[in-house]
Amino acid sequence: PSVAPGAARRWRVPCGSDGGWSRAASMLAASIKAKDAPVHQGVVRKRGAFHKALKSRYFVVRHQTVSYYKTRLDFEAREPAQGSMPCRGLVVASQMKMDGKDGFFFALTATHIQRARKSYRTGLLAAAVPARTITCCVQTPLERAKWIEVLQSEAKLASGTPSEHKD
């Protein structure tokens, strides 16, 4: 078919009996939802920075970031996270010496670079954030193992290191 110069060209795509748009839209929505879905989530007790008592928080790992909310309802209502740390540079370690009546412990230590600044004399400078550690506690050693596995995997992904994903 000939089209006049400067005229808009319309493309027809064979889409099936229903026009295909509903299927394409649902596939796109599913793809977006899958990318936004948490890799892992659940209740973890964390030790406070100032008040050392363990408090229950709802932890969510997604977009190579670990965030925590006061409750699951706060997360589902899309309330702002109470805290978060990127998985890039994240060091995750089991703390078996602390295990006991309170539960099974692990620690998250963020060692990432926060931002880069421009220096006129030397070029680009990176401003490193001091290491921040969050002590976490869960009910069972299996829960701890799962959190450690997921967080270490996300840290490898965030740093660009290839890792084996278990599906």
Side-chain angles (χ1 to χ4, degrees), residues 15 18-29:
C15 298
D18 69 345
W21 293 113
S22 61
R23 182 169 183 241
S26 65
M27 287 173 58
L28 179 61

Side-chain angles (χ1 to χ4, degrees), residues 3-165:
V3 177
R9 180 174 243 170
R10 293 186 188 206
W11 297 96
R12 289 192 160 255
V13 178
C15 298
S17 63
D18 69 345
W21 293 113
S22 61
R23 182 169 183 241
S26 65
M27 287 173 58
L28 179 61
S31 172
I32 291 169
K33 195 173 192 178
K35 288 180 184 173
D36 198 42
V39 175
H40 193 63
Q41 59 188 329
V43 175
V44 174
R45 291 181 298 153
K46 84 175 236 355
R47 189 171 302 252
F50 299 107
H51 304 287
K52 300 299 180 188
L54 293 170
K55 294 194 176 191
S56 289
R57 295 293 178 250
Y58 194 74
F59 275 63
V60 177
V61 180
R62 67 177 178 179
H63 306 300
Q64 298 174 357
T65 301
V66 59
S67 305
Y68 57 91
Y69 302 81
K70 206 166 204 170
T71 65
R72 179 179 179 175
L73 294 175
D74 288 347
F75 167 67
E76 290 173 350
R78 298 186 182 265
E79 295 289 330
Q82 285 198 316
S84 66
M85 35 173 51
C87 291
R88 183 177 182 156
L90 186 67
V91 177
V92 186
S94 180
Q95 294 190 323
M96 291 183 191
K97 65 181 179 189
M98 294 178 66
D99 290 352
K101 65 178 180 138
D102 290 332
F104 298 88
F105 289 83
F106 61 97
L108 311 176
T109 303
T111 60
H112 70 285
I113 294 174
Q114 183 180 21
R115 64 180 177 261
R117 291 184 292 176
K118 180 76 173 173
S119 167
Y120 292 105
R121 276 190 264 154
T122 60
L124 196 61
L125 292 177
V129 174
R132 174 182 173 209
T133 299
I134 297 177
T135 302
C136 301
C137 179
V138 291
Q139 296 293 320
T140 68
L142 288 174
E143 266 186 284
R144 172 175 59 194
K146 180 63 177 175
W147 277 105
I148 290 172
E149 175 190 354
V150 167
L151 290 164
Q152 287 176 340
S153 175
E154 287 296 300
K156 284 180 184 176
L157 279 173
S159 68
T161 305
S163 66
E164 306 87 36
H165 273 290

